[in-house]
Amino acid sequence: MGAFTAAAASAGGNPLWYATRSFGLVALALLTASVLLGVLTSQRIATPKWPRFASQALHRNVSLLALAVVGVHVLTTLMDTYVRITWWAAVVPFTSAYRTGYVALGTIAFDLLLVVTATSLARTLTGHRWWRLVHWSAYAAWPLALGHYLGTGTDARTSWGLLFALACLGAVSVAVLIRLAIERREGPVRVWGGGR
Amino acid sequence: MRLRVNPIACAAHGLCAELFPEWIQLDEWGYPIVDDEPIPPHLQVHARRAVAQCPTLALVAEKA
Ligand code: HEM
Ligand code: SF4
């Protein structure tokens, strides 16, 4: 029994550590969905049965859920004693002694998500031009989160974990390529004029 | 409360007409035609939702 607990502890058998890993995986899935839905709303893809406001409302709600799950993932990481990470490492990049670089990728992604979400909720106050510009940083946040997972994720070293990462990568790549193709056909979006 | 569209900012997403068809119709190019009349209190919640959801913030609510 003693040997078992020792082995479990050395393998990270702490419930908080498992929570961190699971919430991290769910967060990446939700972020992927959030980006896919974001691309869908920006391209006015709709049918009579699937109106535009539905994509947009779903994009908004999935994004908020994603941020909440990322928040829990960060919280359980900080509470966990298996690896010691100080609370400021959650918001200030490169301050974690543990896997400094790969944790920093997650930190920067978290900061970007906070800014993207805050400006979205205050969209009518900031104005469209600023919101749009800030919102594009979501495209930077997503690969940072993926890199963070591939770099530090214990599960990313298993074959299903790698498959999961590839599925997310594939989905976002296809969506972005379709977005670029539509953009080329219809001409550039005139962001600065506010319309197109 | 009244609704107004900024025609320069509007990108003809048509979201507003989906959310508030009582007051907003789309023309044949997908641009909104907005009723000029003041909006009765029980419909203002829909007006506000349409304003908040407009992707380009082209739809504006005015107090008067
Ligand atoms: C986790 C946070 C979020 C992520 C990762 C995210 C991601 C994205 C992406 C990738 C796009 C496509 C942008 C483009 O190519 O033009 C987009 C569009 C959009 N997002 Fe988000 N988003 C997030 C949060 C939100 C929230 C909370 C709202 C709430 C209002 C929101 C509202 C919108 C709208 C209205 C568009 C469409 C813009 C257009 O029609 O041009 N987003 N989002
Ligand atoms: S939702 Fe906004 S952009 Fe779309 S048609 Fe209405 S006013 Fe124009």
Side-chain angles (χ1 to χ4, degrees):
Chain A
M1 188 60 203
F4 173 75
T5 13
S10 70
N14 180 335
L16 279 172
W17 186 239
Y18 283 119
T20 290
R21 282 159 56 188
S22 336
F23 281 113
L25 285 169
V26 176
L28 186 60
L30 285 171
L31 277 179
T32 302
S34 158
V35 170
L36 294 181
L37 287 162
V39 172
L40 193 68
T41 39
S42 76
Q43 292 315 307
R44 315 190 211 173
I45 298 162
T47 68
K49 286 216 170 119
W50 184 263
R52 292 184 185 112
F53 73 84
S55 318
Q56 186 160 316
L58 200 60
H59 169 61
R60 176 181 188 275
N61 292 345
V62 167
S63 302
L64 292 177
L65 189 64
L67 187 68
V69 173
V70 172
V72 176
H73 166 73
V74 171
L75 210 66
T76 52
T77 306
L78 298 184
M79 282 158 57
D80 181 43
T81 47
Y82 175 58
V83 290
R84 281 182 194 285
I85 296 179
T86 53
W87 65 266
W88 58 85
V91 280
V92 187
F94 302 105
T95 53
S96 162
Y98 175 75
R99 292 189 181 151
T100 311
Y102 287 125
V103 170
L105 293 184
T107 304
I108 300 169
F110 184 47
D111 289 340
L112 287 176
L113 290 180
L114 286 175
V115 174
V116 165
T117 308
T119 49
S120 292
L121 297 181
R123 209 163 64 100
T124 43
L125 303 177
T126 55
H128 182 251
R129 185 190 291 189
W130 279 108
W131 169 76
R132 189 78 197 249
L133 214 56
V134 173
H135 214 74
W136 271 331
S137 65
Y139 282 121
W142 186 84
L144 287 171
L146 184 71
H148 167 73
Y149 168 61
L150 289 174
T152 63
T154 307
D155 302 307
R157 284 185 246 309
T158 65
S159 48
W160 64 265
L162 204 58
L163 210 65
F164 170 69
L166 284 177
C168 292
L169 183 65
V172 168
S173 313
V174 169
V176 169
L177 286 178
I178 290 176
R179 190 204 189 293
L180 291 174
I182 295 178
E183 210 69 64
R184 188 148 309 143
R185 209 179 64 221
E186 293 187 347
V189 184
R190 280 175 288 119
V191 180
W192 300 107
R196 44 172 120 177
Chain B
M1 181 205 264
R2 278 176 218 268
L3 284 178
R4 196 172 53 77
V5 172
N6 172 355
I8 299 166
C10 174
H13 275 272
L15 236 89
C16 52
E18 289 175 355
L19 288 167
F20 194 23
E22 293 90 338
W23 239 253
I24 305 169
Q25 245 100 69
L26 296 181
D27 70 13
E28 54 188 302
W29 299 282
Y31 282 91
I33 306 164
V34 178
D35 198 329
D36 228 11
E37 296 300 307
I39 297 156
H42 71 283
L43 288 178
Q44 290 186 1
V45 54
H46 300 287
R48 264 185 227 107
R49 190 171 299 144
V51 166
Q53 295 290 85
C54 169
T56 62
L57 296 177
L59 191 67
V60 221
E62 286 173 342
K63 281 237 163 60

